[in-house]
Amino acid sequence: MVMKLPLLALLLASSLDPALLAPGPQELRAQVAALRRHLGEADAIGRAEARIHNQLAQGPVAEGSAALCASEESRSLLARSTAFGSAYRDRVQTVRADAVRLRRLVAEPTLQPILRREQREQADALLARVDDHVRRYREMAAWQARFLQPAIQRCKPALAAAPGIPGERGEGTAVIGIGGGKVCPGGVPADGTVVVLPEPRACYGERDCSCAPMPVTAGAVLGP
């Protein structure tokens, strides 16, 4: 005869969080907060990539890869388009995964009866933003592949310190740090990854954040 283990023993044995079996308002709030935070990062990085693309579109894109590789400014923008494009892809994948979890939560029987109208509307608005980012990323990736990738393969541009691209300010400013020091404030390693700053001020620190933050704009590369 097979004995049935108590529910608690089953949960412990399988390392499941009981909240995952019967999620409530706390889990919904946590998921909404996570999605909102990741969407803010996607907004900032997508904004930087869009400015880089727009800057290149106003230049020698129509003349082909040789023209794009001809100037230092164009090569800098090409290198940044790859870095910010990859970071944007990663954030879009993150918000898509968040959206799947949120959709499951709002459909849970334990939450359906207690969800208020404004909570449903809030979730719908966040999910619509996710869909918009998916569409925008696909458009940007297609444009990158068609117009920029041939030049990138031709001249293999590398990231170097460069100012950002001015434009309308939004929440968060996406920049890159290079050189092995720190992106400050925050002390984030300057290892070529994209950093989203809460305020548009930053500096590069060789070893620590004793540097004085200065105004920066989206798409900047900070380094020695």
Side-chain angles (χ1 to χ4, degrees), residues 3-136:
M3 295 181 62
K4 293 184 178 180
L5 293 173
L7 178 59
L8 180 58
L10 283 172
L11 290 172
L12 292 173
S14 59
S15 300
L16 286 175
D17 183 347
L20 297 178
L21 297 180
Q26 182 176 351
E27 287 72 35
L28 178 62
R29 286 193 297 270
Q31 187 58 44
V32 165
L35 178 52
R36 183 178 285 117
R37 182 175 67 255
H38 294 149
L39 278 168
E41 294 175 353
D43 289 344
I45 298 170
R47 185 163 51 248
E49 180 75 341
R51 290 186 190 178
I52 291 166
H53 278 195
N54 289 339
Q55 195 85 345
L56 285 165
Q58 295 169 14
V61 163
E63 299 175 37
S65 59
L68 279 169
C69 289
S71 74
E72 182 178 344
E73 180 184 4
S74 290
R75 291 193 299 272
S76 172
L77 290 168
L78 286 173
R80 283 182 273 171
S81 75
T82 299
F84 283 99
S86 295
Y88 189 39
R89 177 201 62 212
D90 293 344
R91 292 312 191 283
V92 171
Q93 289 176 343
T94 297
V95 297
R96 288 184 70 184
D98 284 341
V100 169
R101 288 190 285 270
L102 181 57
R103 285 190 174 97
R104 287 175 179 168
L105 275 174
V106 296
E108 283 287 344
T110 53
L111 278 169
Q112 280 282 328
I114 59 175
L115 276 179
R116 300 189 304 274
R117 178 179 177 181
E118 57 266 29
Q119 289 176 307
R120 295 180 185 276
E121 291 176 347
Q122 180 187 58
D124 287 342
L126 291 173
L127 294 171
R129 286 177 62 190
V130 172
D131 292 339
D132 184 57
H133 273 296
V134 171
R135 177 188 57 78
R136 288 176 57 199

Side-chain angles (χ1 to χ4, degrees), residues 197-210:
L197 304 166
E199 297 294 333
R201 297 179 66 83
C203 60
Y204 173 83
E206 290 284 353
R207 297 180 179 82
D208 54 33
C209 282
S210 58

Side-chain angles (χ1 to χ4, degrees), residues 151-172:
I152 291 168
Q153 292 175 345
R154 179 188 182 107
C155 55
K156 296 178 173 55
L159 287 171
I165 304 168
E168 184 178 349
R169 180 180 170 183
E171 288 189 22

